[in-house]
Amino acid sequence: MGYRFPKTFLWGGAIAANQVEGSHLTDGKGLSTSDIQPFGAFGELVEREEGDFNIKDVAIDFYNRYPEDIALFAEMGFKCLRMSIAWSRVFPNGDDDEPNEAGLAYYERIFSELEKYNITPLVTLSHYEMPLNLAKKYQGWGSRDTIGFFEKYARVVFERFGSKVKYWLTFNEINATLHEPFTGSGLPRECDEKMLFQAIHHQLVASAKAVKLCHELVPDGKIGNMMLGAILYPRTCNPDDILQTFTQNREWLMFGDIQVRGYYPSYMKRKFEDMGISLDITKEDLEALKETIDFVSFSYYMSGCASADPEMQEQAGDANMLKMIANPYLKASEWGWQIDPKGLRYLLNFLYDRYQLPLFVVENGLGAVDTVDENGQIQDDYRIQYLNDHLFQVGEALKDGVDVIGYTSWGPIDLVSATTAQMSKRYGYIYVDRDNDGNGSLVRTPKKSFYWYQSVISSQGEVLKDHTDK
Ligand code: BG6
């Protein structure tokens, strides 16, 4: 028998609006940046034309099928659903005077549905999308004006949903802008470093302002940040590799450092000097940044290595939004993401040592090709193994004394992949009949992992197995 997780632990799953909802122009929704990325986060940007194909236009039709999907989440015993609001449903152009009532009403229906099953919503304000108009007219987060538009949007949703939603996140994987400026910040891809860090600064200020609004408007609520937990190990114990790794880890920890402590860490001063850039940072910005988050959240799929050796650096392969050097001790998923359950325990301890705030694992999972057998079933033992081994390490971190408040695995129902826009890269406990070309009935079928996760939740983790040395 494994370790029993705390009773209050928020077990669940995580989805994002643009990867599940579809109905991309329904009920007054405006186009979002995701709507012109039919090939995923790094793919070509394609202007919309009548009749073109973008798998996300329908995605898995969560917009219409959410009652069925939420009922299935409830059947698994979910305590929490992480989801996002599409900003472009609420403010179709981002800079509109008035919010779009039909968009708000849609999310109201979802929150009521979750309430029926006592599922706590954890809501991301912006998950890899913003109204397309903001990207086109203002260069997204490149403009200071966007801070005001975001504040207005945050105020509207906190006022409207604050009584039902108590857990909030500001920006999904806020550090991803460093690697994909358009997806993360609506910036033109050919932006220079100054533009990039200026946009990041605007986003950090907007995040802090949303935190302040949440504290005022949802006083019994909690709001966190969200980082891509891209932990790197030194490829060797050569001091040059150690320092290189330390510096590269700071590239993403910088976001947490600001959001937790309320100011830029001193190492950023040197970084900006070395880059020869000086940002427009006002006194008011510095004041705004002082409003800090209540908990730290992050995604974790894999770890990677860093090296100071240029030859090694050239071997770095794609890993989610990043490039990482392979770790010879680890195996990889079909998409080349290296599987490292112990890395999750390490990261939880690492972040807790650094921040001393509650931690929430808001994404983790295995993207894999599933096959439906002759009985119409999906025996996804590989997924069960991945999730078991990671959750086992979450239990170890809890035993280490880390305050982990919840775990929402990525894509509890199959959805469209963010980096590749494929349906075939499946994470779900629930299979969705749809292929990469959009064929399929969209019918939902529980996989073997559905019943496994149900037993993990109902036993509060006791059924988790220790495979560490096998
Ligand atoms: C995270 C994102 O980077 O990874 C999700 O927050 C994304 O939106 C997830 O879906 C998995 O990535 P992918 O490319 O496999 O969908």
Side-chain angles (χ1 to χ4, degrees):
M1 281 293 195
Y3 165 81
R4 193 176 271 261
F5 283 52
K7 274 214 173 86
T8 51
F9 196 76
L10 291 166
W11 298 95
I15 56 177
N18 70 86
Q19 293 172 260
V20 295
E21 287 179 352
S23 300
H24 74 298
L25 290 174
T26 306
D27 291 336
K29 179 182 171 294
L31 284 176
S32 83
T33 44
S34 155
D35 290 320
I36 65 159
Q37 293 181 286
F39 306 110
F42 292 94
E44 197 193 333
L45 307 179
V46 182
E47 286 300 329
R48 297 309 307 246
E49 274 175 33
E50 187 101 13
D52 56 6
F53 175 75
N54 180 337
I55 192 128
K56 289 178 271 183
D57 292 356
V58 175
I60 59 157
D61 193 29
F62 184 78
Y63 195 80
N64 297 304
R65 293 171 197 245
Y66 70 86
E68 183 191 346
D69 296 342
I70 291 173
L72 287 166
F73 298 153
E75 200 182 322
M76 272 187 279
F78 276 27
K79 310 282 181 243
C80 178
L81 179 69
R82 175 179 174 225
M83 52 175 277
S84 69
I85 295 180
W87 183 355
S88 56
R89 285 201 194 279
V90 180
F91 285 100
N93 300 297
D95 57 358
D96 318 72
D97 289 334
E98 296 300 325
N100 170 35
E101 176 50 35
L104 288 167
Y106 161 65
Y107 291 109
E108 190 127 65
R109 293 196 292 279
I110 300 224
F111 298 136
S112 300
E113 199 68 19
L114 291 171
E115 209 171 19
K116 270 191 4 204
Y117 300 102
N118 280 323
I119 298 178
T120 301
L122 164 65
V123 175
T124 315
L125 291 170
S126 176
H127 189 127
Y128 282 165
E129 59 176 330
M130 66 194 310
L132 183 59
N133 176 57
L134 293 184
K136 290 197 158 166
K137 204 158 141 193
Y138 304 88
Q139 301 199 317
W141 286 102
S143 162
R144 190 168 272 283
D145 292 340
T146 303
I147 301 176
F149 302 136
F150 186 75
E151 250 188 297
K152 189 168 164 184
Y153 158 61
R155 175 181 289 279
V156 165
V157 297
F158 291 148
E159 281 176 346
R160 181 71 171 250
F161 304 127
S163 62
K164 284 190 158 69
V165 180
K166 303 298 179 189
Y167 284 90
W168 297 88
L169 300 176
T170 55
F171 296 101
N172 182 63
E173 296 187 339
I174 184 163
N175 46 318
T177 293
L178 292 171
H179 313 283
E180 215 312 274
F182 183 76
T183 305
S185 287
L187 282 171
R189 284 192 168 142
E190 57 287 353
C191 68
D192 60 26
E193 282 197 316
K194 179 168 165 135
M195 267 173 95
L196 191 73
F197 278 95
Q198 188 65 52
I200 286 171
H201 173 71
H202 293 151
Q203 226 169 335
L204 284 164
V205 171
S207 174
K209 290 194 168 196
V211 171
K212 185 157 198 269
L213 278 173
C214 184
H215 288 156
E216 283 164 14
L217 300 169
V218 196
D220 55 346
K222 301 256 179 248
I223 184 157
N225 67 339
M226 195 317 198
M227 297 181 286
L228 198 174
I231 195 78
L232 294 169
Y233 305 139
R235 181 66 178 74
T236 73
C237 53
N238 181 330
D240 288 339
D241 286 353
I242 306 286
L243 256 186
Q244 177 68 24
T245 309
F246 188 74
T247 308
Q248 277 185 237
N249 276 327
R250 272 179 164 176
E251 284 175 6
W252 66 274
L253 289 164
M254 180 274 283
F255 293 84
D257 290 353
I258 295 173
Q259 292 176 308
V260 173
R261 299 175 186 152
Y263 53 87
Y264 273 84
S266 43
Y267 59 80
M268 286 309 289
K269 201 171 160 250
R270 161 132 197 215
K271 186 174 167 92
F272 291 144
E273 274 169 16
D274 287 353
M275 287 192 299
I277 62 173
S278 138
L279 299 185
D280 168 30
I281 299 180
T282 67
K283 263 202 196 130
E284 289 72 32
D285 292 349
L286 295 177
E287 208 41 50
L289 288 178
K290 289 185 183 156
E291 191 78 20
T292 56
I293 50 172
D294 305 313
F295 64 95
V296 170
S297 91
F298 62 92
S299 61
Y300 177 80
Y301 293 89
M302 75 202 98
S303 62
C305 294
S307 166
D309 174 356
E311 262 178 44
M312 267 288 162
Q313 286 173 352
E314 264 177 36
Q315 289 172 27
D318 289 329
N320 200 353
M321 295 281 164
L322 316 161
K323 288 233 175 281
M324 285 173 167
I325 297 168
N327 183 333
Y329 296 97
L330 300 176
K331 295 199 180 102
S333 79
E334 288 162 274
W335 272 264
W337 296 16
Q338 286 204 300
I339 301 172
D340 179 17
K342 284 182 187 159
L344 180 53
R345 176 181 178 188
Y346 173 67
L347 181 56
L348 282 163
N349 276 279
F350 181 90
L351 291 175
Y352 197 58
D353 284 353
R354 193 172 183 114
Y355 297 135
Q356 291 285 295
L357 278 183
L359 302 178
F360 205 145
V361 184
V362 297
E363 282 185 36
N364 172 238
L366 179 72
V369 172
D370 288 332
T371 327
V372 184
D373 69 18
E374 62 280 7
N375 304 316
Q377 290 171 349
I378 301 98
Q379 311 287 347
D380 54 343
D381 294 281
Y382 36 91
R383 182 168 295 109
I384 294 174
Q385 161 117 27
Y386 177 101
L387 293 165
N388 174 87
D389 294 354
H390 283 77
L391 271 167
F392 186 85
Q393 295 300 328
V394 174
E396 291 298 299
L398 280 160
K399 287 200 255 173
D400 293 333
V402 179
D403 184 8
V404 192
I405 56 174
Y407 172 93
T408 53
S409 64
W410 179 249
I413 181 164
D414 294 343
L415 38 65
V416 180
S417 148
T419 49
T420 61
Q422 290 167 301
M423 267 307 302
S424 53
K425 191 178 187 190
R426 296 171 184 275
Y427 287 86
Y429 307 109
I430 303 164
Y431 186 86
V432 176
D433 179 26
R434 190 160 202 240
D435 69 16
N436 292 341
D437 301 318
N439 305 309
S441 62
L442 288 165
V443 163
R444 280 56 172 148
T445 309
K447 306 179 194 174
K448 185 173 177 186
S449 57
F450 180 99
Y451 302 101
W452 169 82
Y453 199 39
Q454 191 179 50
S455 71
V456 172
I457 299 176
S458 67
S459 72
Q460 284 170 240
E462 273 208 303
V463 300
L464 293 169
K465 294 196 178 86
D466 182 3
H467 294 141
T468 1
D469 296 311
K470 288 166 199 122

